[in-house]
Amino acid sequence: MSDQRRGDRLDQPRAPRSLHLPRIDAETFGRWAEGIARGMGTANFLVYMTLILVAWFLWNTLAPASLRFDPYTFTFLTLILSLQASYAAPLILLAQNRQADRDRIAMDEDRRRATLQKADTEYLAREIAALRIAMGDVATRDFLRSELTRLGEELDEAAERRRRRERRQQEREGRRTGGGEPLDEPRDELDSDYARDGRRDG
């Protein structure tokens, strides 16, 4: 009762009464339109359409007058072709719009991926630069090889000095014990004693 009184009141607008049309799934209709547009854009459609038109012309021109269903001027054929063109154009536009939407989504996705890839590349470039800076303080293979070579040379020189020192000590001990002949070991240029007294063993 209250709903009836509310509907009869003049101070409230009436609810719009729209015509309820059947609801059509836009995705399903779009796929169907794309299928038709894709089929109309093939060579098979053109060949079949041409064969139908030629058969139509021949039948309505050469057949007996009683069997011709669309005589000359082909009014019915013109109507069919007009209907086909009037429906084909919106279907093709719908297919193109859907393709444009897909292309736009694909471009947005490509742009997003390119942005992420650029950020990743910049991050990796910064990390590589930091590693290069850090590697500047780290010993390289060539540096280690040169240091090992230098240490080996120093060890060889120390061993040679120790050998000369032991030889000089043996010579001094031999002279103290009775003036015996010195060792028959030849002197070389590395011997510091040879460099000082300048004598050669004959």
Side-chain angles (χ1 to χ4, degrees):
M1 188 70 178
S2 60
D3 294 338
Q4 183 178 1
R5 290 179 180 176
R6 186 178 301 169
D8 295 337
R9 294 180 59 176
L10 299 178
D11 60 342
Q12 293 181 357
R14 290 183 178 179
R17 296 181 179 178
S18 59
L19 181 62
H20 296 287
L21 296 176
R23 299 179 64 86
I24 300 175
D25 187 10
E27 186 65 24
T28 303
F29 186 78
R31 287 197 298 267
W32 178 71
E34 284 182 345
I36 293 176
R38 192 175 294 111
M40 292 179 67
T42 59
N44 290 333
F45 177 79
L46 295 176
V47 172
Y48 295 151
M49 190 72 180
T50 303
L51 293 178
I52 291 173
L53 292 177
V54 170
W56 190 292
F57 291 151
L58 292 177
W59 180 266
N60 290 288
T61 302
L62 303 177
S66 60
L67 299 178
R68 297 176 187 175
F69 57 89
D70 188 18
Y72 180 71
T73 66
F74 309 112
T75 306
F76 186 54
L77 178 61
T78 304
L79 176 63
I80 291 176
L81 294 178
S82 299
L83 288 174
Q84 178 188 353
S86 62
Y87 277 97
L91 290 175
I92 293 172
L93 289 176
L94 178 60
Q96 289 179 350
N97 291 335
R98 285 173 59 85
Q99 185 62 39
D101 293 339
R102 282 197 296 269
D103 293 341
R104 184 171 59 254
I105 292 173
M107 286 189 295
D108 292 340
E109 184 66 19
D110 292 340
R111 189 179 299 110
R112 186 184 67 83
R113 290 182 179 178
T115 303
L116 293 176
Q117 186 176 5
K118 182 179 179 181
D120 293 340
T121 304
E122 291 177 352
Y123 172 76
L124 291 176
R126 290 193 297 270
E127 289 296 318
I128 292 173
L131 288 175
R132 287 180 176 176
I133 293 173
M135 288 296 292
D137 299 332
V138 178
T140 60
R141 183 176 59 185
D142 295 334
F143 176 76
L144 290 176
R145 184 182 293 115
S146 62
E147 289 296 316
L148 290 175
T149 304
R150 185 178 62 81
L151 288 175
E153 292 175 354
E154 290 180 356
L155 291 175
D156 292 339
E157 292 176 359
E160 183 66 23
R161 285 195 298 270
R162 185 169 57 252
R163 187 177 63 82
R164 290 198 303 266
R165 192 180 307 116
E166 291 175 355
R167 187 176 59 194
R168 286 196 303 269
Q169 188 175 0
Q170 290 176 0
E171 289 178 358
R172 289 172 188 163
E173 291 177 355
R175 290 172 186 170
R176 289 177 184 174
T177 57
E181 296 181 358
L183 298 175
D184 293 335
E185 183 180 357
R187 297 178 181 269
D188 54 5
E189 295 179 357
L190 296 176
D191 197 343
S192 59
D193 295 338
Y194 173 79
R196 282 201 300 270
D197 50 15
R199 292 180 300 173
R200 292 181 182 271
D201 293 337

